[in-house]
Amino acid sequence: MEHNSNKVRELSLFPEDDTESEERQEVDKIDLQPLFDRLAKSKFRSSFYLNAKDKAYIKEKGWDKIEQGTRETIAKRLAPAFIPNDGKQTPMRHGIFPPFIAQHATGCCCRGCLEKWHGIPKGRPLTVKEQIYITRVIMEWLKRNDQ
């Protein structure tokens, strides 16, 4: 599918049924610890946490639903080349959707932060591989902090 600023190929909700598996395997090999070590040194990024309401939401919905919602959020709110409200599209409040908190904690909240923290440039649509990577980072942060 061709990319333009209004149309982005979203991640499949059923990756085992399409061509994403090779990209997913490649992303799964990335060691995220160096990223989490850098994030821990940021006073702002390390100030985020999951509260009881967030943890209850995760427990109620389950990890599969949380990942599905995260994938959809990334595809709609971060994947386009140009986002009219970039830098303001991800809520910071607890109790809405825990991956929003994780997006801020991991520098995956807007295209500016993706460029700064992950080297993913602004001004072009995210690739499917990048969407898979961002989803993995967010899910890893959630699992590390849901204790």
Side-chain angles (χ1 to χ4, degrees):
M1 175 181 284
E2 270 188 46
H3 294 289
N4 65 37
S5 62
N6 296 323
K7 193 158 187 111
V8 174
R9 180 173 165 233
E10 293 184 18
L11 291 173
S12 169
L13 297 179
F14 306 101
E16 62 279 356
D17 294 340
D18 60 27
T19 60
E20 291 173 22
S21 62
E22 188 175 306
E23 290 155 328
R24 184 170 305 284
Q25 288 174 356
E26 200 174 317
V27 168
D28 284 346
K29 293 177 185 175
I30 296 170
D31 180 7
L32 295 180
Q33 193 56 51
L35 169 66
F36 284 103
D37 291 343
R38 281 188 308 125
L39 292 165
K41 292 176 184 171
S42 165
K43 185 175 181 180
F44 178 72
R45 300 289 164 200
S46 64
S47 70
F48 290 95
Y49 63 93
L50 294 176
N51 67 15
K53 197 171 188 179
D54 297 323
K55 291 177 183 183
Y57 184 97
I58 292 169
K59 187 174 182 179
E60 175 190 332
K61 299 295 180 185
W63 288 111
D64 289 342
K65 286 275 191 196
I66 296 295
E67 184 170 354
Q68 178 181 341
T70 300
R71 291 170 65 127
E72 292 168 358
T73 297
I74 299 310
K76 291 177 182 145
R77 293 178 178 238
L78 284 180
F82 299 100
I83 302 163
N85 61 339
D86 194 32
K88 297 177 178 77
Q89 76 266 37
T90 307
M92 279 195 188
R93 296 187 320 269
H94 288 280
I96 299 174
F97 184 54
F100 289 155
I101 299 297
Q103 282 183 259
H104 289 292
T106 59
C108 297
C109 45
C110 67
R111 293 303 296 265
C113 291
L114 282 175
E115 189 168 62
K116 176 182 177 179
W117 287 96
H118 304 277
I120 299 172
K122 297 193 282 189
R124 66 159 176 78
L126 294 176
T127 65
V128 169
K129 184 177 175 181
E130 289 166 339
Q131 292 177 63
I132 292 168
Y133 165 78
I134 294 163
T135 300
R136 179 169 173 238
V137 168
I138 291 167
M139 293 304 296
E140 178 67 21
W141 186 91
L142 287 168
K143 289 177 180 178
R144 289 179 180 207
N145 287 273
D146 183 43
Q147 315 231 357

